[in-house]
Amino acid sequence: MMGMMMHRPLRIIDILAHAAEITPQEGIVSVTPEGLHRYTYPDALARAAQLAHALVAQGIVQGDRIATLAWNSHRHFELYFAISGMGAVCHTINPRLSDEQLIYILNHADDRILFLEPEFAPRIASLADQIPAEMTCILLSDTPDQTDTETDITVYETLLSGQPTQYDWPDLPEDTAAALCYTSGTTGVPKGALFSQRSTVLHAMMVPLSQTSSFRAGRRAMPIVPLFHANSWGLPYTAPLMGMTLVMPGAALDGASLWSLMEAEQVYSAWGVPTVWAGLLAEIERRGRPPAGFTDMVVGGAAMPHSLSVAYENHGISVSRCWGMTEMSPVGGRGTPSPDIATLDLDARLAIQTNAGQRCFGVDFKLIGDGGRIVPHDGHSTGELHVRGNTVISGYYNNPSATAAALDAEGWFATGDIASVDPQGRLAIHDRTKDLVKSGGEWISSIDLEDIATAHPGIDSCAVIAVPHPKWDERPVLVAIAATDTPPDLATIQAHMAPHLAKWQLPDDVIYVDTLPLTATGKVSKLALRQQFTDYLLPDLR
Ligand code: ADP
C-alpha cells in the first residue's frame, strides 16, 4: 500500500529563504579584496534574487552551467543559491588546477559564464583561445578590471545593481541538477560530480544530524575548506539551515590571518584540511592561546595526524575527524564522538575514535576484499570501502567509462579507500589504493606509518611513499620536515616506530625536505613525491 502524503520537491533556495525568515539577524561576514563585508541572510536572499534576474538578462536558461573561480566570500555564496535557485548549474572550479586541467574542465562542462576573482583575469585572458568561445567573464568586484586585460569585461556589482530584489523561484523537479564539481584529477583527467537539488538538501539536513558538535544556532561557522572543494563540505548550506552566521575567510588561509579573523569574529566551529590546521597551530603556539571562542574543529580530506589532534584537544578544542569524498557531496563519516565515549579521558577516547569518524545516517558502508569477498565490520579486517546513499553519485558527468569503473554490479560506489569498520560503524582509513605500499606481496598502510612517525618530537610533518625496490617491488620511505635543527636519523626513527609495527613495515629511509608538495585541494601530494623519488632505492644504472 502506498503512503498518502504530499510530495514537495526539495529545493536549495528554500534553505536560504528559511534562514532569512527564521534567523534574519544571522548572515555572512566576508573577507573581500575591498575589505571586510557584513550582511544578513535577508540581504543575501535579496541579492541572490538580483543575481538570478541578471542571469536571465544574460540569456541563461535552466540547465546551463555557470562556472566560478573564486575564494570563499559572500558573492560566491550568492552564486551558489542564485544559480541553483533559477535552475542552472553552479560549477565551482579550483583555481589551483593546472592550465591544462582548467581548459579541460571549462570545455567539458561547456560553461556559459565564468565568474572570477580579479586576480585570475590575466590568467583567463592568456587562455582565451582554448576556452569556450561563447563564455562571458564577469569579475567578482565592484570596480572595473585594473589589469585592463579585457576592456569591456562586466563587473559583478554593476550586473546586480538596479535588478529587482525578489525573484519567483521556479518549482523545479527535485532531481534537477544544481551544482557541478570536478575531482582534482590526481588519478587521471578530472571527473565531474553533478549534484541535484534533492541530494544537496538531503546532505544539508544529514550532516548536522550526525556532526552534532559543530552546530549551534546563533554561533559562527567558518569554512576554511574552499567553496570549490566538494561544496565546502556542505557548510554554505548547513550553516544557514542551522541558523548560524558564516565567516568567509577569502584568499588568506595562513595561520596568522586565520587566527586574527577567528579571534575578531568569534568563530565557534571551523572546517579545513590537516595542512591548514598545522599552520594555525604554529600561530596558536606563537601567541600562547587559541582564538577566543574557538571550540569545535572539523578536519577531513586527508588523515589528521594523531599528534596534531592531541595538540588541539589539549588547547580545549574538540577535534572531529570526518571522512568524505567529492562524489559523496561529500560527508560520509562524522567525527563528533558518540555519547558512550565522549566522557572518557583523552587517551582512552582517541584510542577508540578512528581517523575517519562514524558512519553518517543516510550512507551505507560495504567492505570488499580480494576476489570480491565481503569483509566483516569487525574493526580490524580491511577491504576497499564501497558506499551507497541518496548523497552519493550514480555516475560521473558525461563520462561513461569512469562511471563504469566506479560503480559495482549492485550500484555501490567504489571509493578507492582501503578501510576497516568496527561494529559501531567507526571507519578507519588505512590508505588510498594508489598510495598503499606493496612490499613483497604484503600491504603497508602509509597513513598508519605517518601517524606513528609524527608522534616523534623531531618530526614536524611527513608523508610515507611507496618507492620502487629491486627485490620487494616497493618499500616505504619517509619524507619529512624536521621540527628541530638536528633531525632524528633513520635508526632513531626506526627505534621509535618499532614497538608499533612489524619489522618489515618500518621505513627503509628518511629523507628530510624543507616543504612537502601540496595538491590543488591543499593535501600533501604523494603522487608528486613518488615521481620525485622514484629511483631512490633502485641500483644506480648509469
Ligand atoms: P581529491 O582529493 O581527489 O580531490 P576529495 O577531496 O573528494 O578528492 O578526497 C577524497 C579522499 O580524501 C578520500 O577518498 C580519502 O582518501 C581522503 N580522505 C578524506 N577524509 C579522510 C580522513 N578523515 N582520513 C583519511 N583520508 C581521508
Side-chain angles (χ1 to χ4, degrees), residues 22-47:
I22 305 300
T23 48
Q25 71 286 359
E26 304 299 324
I28 301 180
V29 180
S30 178
V31 176
T32 73
E34 301 110 43
L36 209 58
H37 177 276
R38 294 172 196 281
Y39 70 3
T40 62
Y41 285 130
D43 298 332
L45 182 60
R47 299 239 314 161

Side-chain angles (χ1 to χ4, degrees), residues 68-80:
T68 66
L69 207 51
W71 306 121
N72 292 6
S73 73
H74 66 294
R75 293 185 181 121
H76 207 171
F77 178 90
E78 291 160 6
L79 287 159
Y80 259 51

Side-chain angles (χ1 to χ4, degrees), residues 174-357:
E174 64 180 7
D175 284 331
T176 304
L180 176 63
C181 181
Y182 285 74
T183 61
S184 59
T186 42
T187 46
V189 294
K191 297 173 291 214
L194 185 62
F195 312 99
S196 66
Q197 300 273 342
R198 171 185 150 86
S199 68
T200 306
V201 174
L202 287 175
H203 185 266
M205 296 193 294
M206 187 187 97
V207 171
L209 275 184
S210 298
Q211 183 50 38
T212 49
S213 64
S214 304
F215 300 98
R216 299 277 185 284
R219 301 276 175 86
R220 292 174 163 203
M222 180 160 85
I224 305 174
V225 50
L227 270 73
F228 55 75
H229 182 190
N231 308 318
S232 194
W233 304 348
L235 211 47
Y237 305 114
T238 312
L241 189 62
M242 298 300 288
M244 293 176 81
T245 282
L246 279 165
V247 179
M248 299 289 204
L253 304 182
D254 59 284
S257 305
L258 289 176
W259 197 100
S260 305
L261 181 65
M262 291 170 81
E263 167 95 355
E265 297 301 332
Q266 296 284 302
V267 170
Y268 170 79
S269 176
W271 298 35
V273 294
T275 41
V276 160
W277 298 122
L280 182 69
L281 184 65
E283 184 66 13
I284 289 175
E285 282 167 357
R286 204 173 67 77
R287 299 204 183 229
R289 66 174 176 89
F294 181 30
T295 307
D296 178 84
M297 173 177 143
V298 171
V299 55
M304 175 79 158
H306 182 83
S307 53
L308 197 51
S309 301
V310 171
Y312 273 99
E313 293 271 2
N314 285 338
H315 280 293
I317 293 154
S318 131
V319 177
S320 287
R321 292 178 290 177
C322 294
W323 169 86
M325 299 184 76
T326 304
E327 290 89 334
M328 301 174 68
S329 304
V331 180
R334 52 93 164 221
T336 305
S338 52
D340 54 327
I341 63 166
T343 52
L344 298 179
D345 70 38
L346 183 60
D347 286 344
R349 175 159 64 73
L350 288 181
I352 299 171
Q353 258 178 293
T354 52
N355 66 2

Side-chain angles (χ1 to χ4, degrees), residues 46-86:
R47 299 239 314 161
Q50 290 187 301
L51 177 53
H53 283 290
L55 292 173
V56 172
Q58 293 278 321
I60 295 302
V61 297
Q62 292 183 7
D64 280 350
R65 274 79 56 212
I66 297 172
T68 66
L69 207 51
W71 306 121
N72 292 6
S73 73
H74 66 294
R75 293 185 181 121
H76 207 171
F77 178 90
E78 291 160 6
L79 287 159
Y80 259 51
F81 285 89
I83 296 170
S84 62
M86 67 161 293

